Amino acid sequence: MSTPPLRLFFAIPCCPQLAHDIAEWRKQNPVDGKPVAPENLHLTLAFLGSQPRGQVEPLAAIAASLTPTAFILRLDRLARWKNGLLHLAPSQVPASLMELERGLREQLLAAGFPLETRHFKPHLTLARHCPKLPPSAPPAFDWPASEFALYASENTARGTRYHTLAQWPLRPQAPA
Ligand code: ATP
Ligand code: MG
């Protein structure tokens, strides 16, 4: 019997402290729609969709070949896209984040993985199916990104679960 495919994506996980802080802020600024569970908060780097399990190894090899640098991402914007996706975003995107996303995308495309062609807009999803932008004060979260990971997303009776298949550190930046 063949094993079912996995729904895969690369992302930067939100550390537990920041996830807690964001969840607390969200409680003070209630939003309509389907909130993302605190343990699922993340920033997607590349979405691969349904893939055979055998692709996990080559994907991990691609990730391991990158040499990304750590950065601090300041989430200072609350925004909503037309599709109802309410998110936090940075007004200044660190060069290291763009380099990581570009490096990953280039290698994934070279290896034949289909990726969407839309421009990368780094964001952390707070809720989906949100009917309007809540009138809350602008947030200011400093996110010290120190790793990225390959996830398998699973739909369960208790909601969407992400399984970490492998993760890789972002190298601390050399002092100036
Ligand atoms: P659910 O869809 O079950 O409500 P989810 O969106 O968190 O939860 P997935 O649909 O598996 O779970 O998506 C995992 C990640 O990949 C999320 O960050 C999601 O926004 C992103 N993603 C999903 N589909 C696409 C797509 N077609 N293009 C780009 N990113 C996507
Ligand atoms: Mg989804």
Side-chain angles (χ1 to χ4, degrees):
M1 209 173 69
S2 66
T3 50
L6 297 173
R7 186 172 167 88
L8 299 178
F9 65 103
F10 283 102
I12 298 177
C14 211
C15 66
Q17 181 64 54
L18 179 62
H20 171 267
D21 292 349
I22 291 175
E24 286 301 308
W25 176 85
R26 195 171 50 181
K27 277 187 209 158
Q28 311 299 320
N29 299 276
V31 299
D32 290 334
K34 183 181 162 201
V36 174
E39 64 272 20
N40 281 0
L41 293 172
H42 67 279
L43 185 151
T44 301
L45 293 167
F47 179 74
L48 299 146
S50 182
Q51 296 287 336
R53 274 167 195 266
Q55 295 291 41
V56 169
E57 210 176 304
L59 286 167
I62 286 175
S65 74
L66 302 172
T67 53
T69 350
F71 53 85
I72 294 176
L73 188 67
R74 170 159 273 237
L75 298 171
D76 55 0
R77 283 192 174 161
L78 174 67
R80 177 189 168 277
W81 287 328
K82 275 186 297 196
N83 61 4
L85 193 142
L86 184 75
H87 59 277
L88 296 174
S91 53
Q92 304 267 352
V93 183
S96 309
L97 170 57
M98 296 311 283
E99 279 163 27
L100 170 58
E101 187 275 337
R102 191 179 62 237
L104 198 51
R105 176 165 34 89
E106 285 174 358
Q107 294 230 27
L108 291 170
L109 290 173
F113 288 98
L115 294 179
E116 63 169 23
T117 49
R118 275 187 296 182
H119 189 61
F120 175 57
K121 290 189 198 150
H123 65 279
L124 178 144
T125 302
L126 290 169
R128 296 190 167 82
H129 315 297
C130 181
K132 60 179 186 323
L133 185 65
S136 61
F141 294 108
D142 282 326
W143 181 352
S146 57
E147 65 199 357
F148 73 108
L150 176 62
Y151 292 97
S153 163
E154 184 193 16
N155 266 316
T156 75
R158 298 175 65 192
T160 305
R161 278 201 58 195
Y162 300 154
H163 303 274
T164 309
L165 303 180
Q167 57 188 29
W168 301 269
L170 306 183
R171 288 180 313 171
Q173 256 173 1

